[in-house]
Amino acid sequence: MRIGREKATDLREFLNALRSCPEESIFQHMFQTLEEHHFIQEGFSNDFAQWVFEECNETALAERLSGVDIREYTSVEALREVLVAIVEQHIKLDSTSAERSAHEPFYFCSSEKVIIPTPFSAYNLVGFAEALQNVSIHSIHHHFIDARLRLKLVSNDFSVWLQEELGLSELARKLDHVDIYTATLEDVRTRIVNVVEETCARRWV
């Protein structure tokens, strides 16, 4: 984890930091946090909404930030624009909220990962389903969530492999639509496995 230059002690500073922080910070607080809090099923879906709620006591703004569906965006910059617009509108409707001090500051962070290979590999759909059930949730996160930054949010490593190597475009599309932030990573794994196994069963009927 790496703490960036941007820090917010109130909503105005938060807005300015949202405008200028690196894309990696937006990704960290909107996507990466899913790995760190994958076991939490209550609360808000991203770090921004959680801070606005807990430290700024701005429930309405927190709900709007939490309601942003990250699956609808194909670039981090497009996602940033939406977040900025939400905060701008909130401040416009309630100008006193802009300078109201937060209980604790928000530090914009990003992360650098060390990637190591696992013993698992797949050359066909059956082997892919088996490997999915045995890899760690960190591997699921790396290929299904982390990959979205590298792929400009348009897909994930699993879907790209299924389409390019096995020609399974429909399965790839279904995996792209698996909900990644209203469930734990174990739930995400289960849903991916179920979709893959359904396809396996149909292919052998």
Side-chain angles (χ1 to χ4, degrees):
M1 183 68 69
R2 183 177 60 206
I3 298 177
R5 295 174 297 177
E6 292 81 10
K7 179 181 105 171
T9 61
D10 57 38
L11 287 184
R12 190 171 302 284
E13 290 182 357
F14 180 65
L15 175 59
N16 291 334
L18 273 178
R19 290 172 173 147
S20 62
C21 70
E23 288 189 358
E24 289 78 8
S25 288
I26 300 291
F27 189 84
Q28 169 70 31
H29 296 297
M30 293 295 290
F31 286 84
Q32 189 70 27
T33 184
L34 297 173
E35 180 178 29
E36 298 159 9
H37 307 300
H38 69 91
F39 51 86
I40 298 176
Q41 293 182 296
E42 297 180 355
F44 292 101
S45 62
N46 62 72
D47 289 343
F48 296 145
Q50 196 67 33
W51 177 78
V52 166
F53 175 71
E54 288 187 348
E55 307 301 339
C56 300
N57 197 30
E58 297 287 346
T59 305
L61 176 57
E63 289 175 348
R64 290 198 63 196
L65 290 172
S66 182
V68 173
D69 190 340
I70 52 182
R71 295 167 297 180
E72 295 180 358
Y73 302 95
T74 57
S75 75
V76 178
E77 280 305 313
L79 181 57
R80 182 205 302 273
E81 289 175 7
V82 169
L83 297 172
V84 166
I86 289 173
V87 179
E88 283 178 337
Q89 184 178 27
H90 181 82
I91 291 176
K92 183 177 180 180
L93 293 174
D94 180 11
S95 59
T96 62
S97 66
E99 270 78 35
R100 195 177 300 134
S101 296
H103 299 302
E104 295 291 339
F106 187 91
Y107 295 93
F108 284 72
C109 301
S110 60
S111 60
E112 293 183 2
K113 285 203 165 188
V114 176
I115 309 302
I116 58 174
T118 74
F120 306 100
S121 59
Y123 298 91
N124 54 47
L125 200 56
V126 173
F128 181 61
E130 291 176 353
L132 282 171
Q133 296 179 66
N134 289 286
V135 297
S136 72
I137 57 171
H138 304 293
S139 185
I140 299 292
H141 189 277
H142 172 69
H143 290 294
F144 203 64
I145 297 177
D146 273 359
R148 295 173 187 269
L149 179 60
R150 172 165 38 81
L151 298 173
K152 303 302 181 184
L153 307 193
V154 296
S155 190
N156 62 84
D157 286 342
F158 296 153
S159 291
V160 170
W161 181 78
L162 289 167
Q163 181 167 344
E164 294 183 355
E165 301 300 326
L166 300 185
L168 298 173
S169 301
E170 179 62 18
L171 176 56
R173 184 191 63 78
K174 287 182 178 179
L175 290 195
D176 268 333
H177 286 83
V178 169
D179 191 347
I180 62 176
Y181 69 97
T182 60
T184 68
L185 281 175
E186 281 296 349
D187 290 335
V188 169
R189 180 212 302 270
T190 299
R191 293 174 187 180
I192 294 173
V193 169
N194 288 342
V195 172
V196 172
E197 288 183 338
E198 287 173 7
T199 301
C200 285
R202 287 199 302 272
R203 287 168 67 88
W204 289 102
V205 170

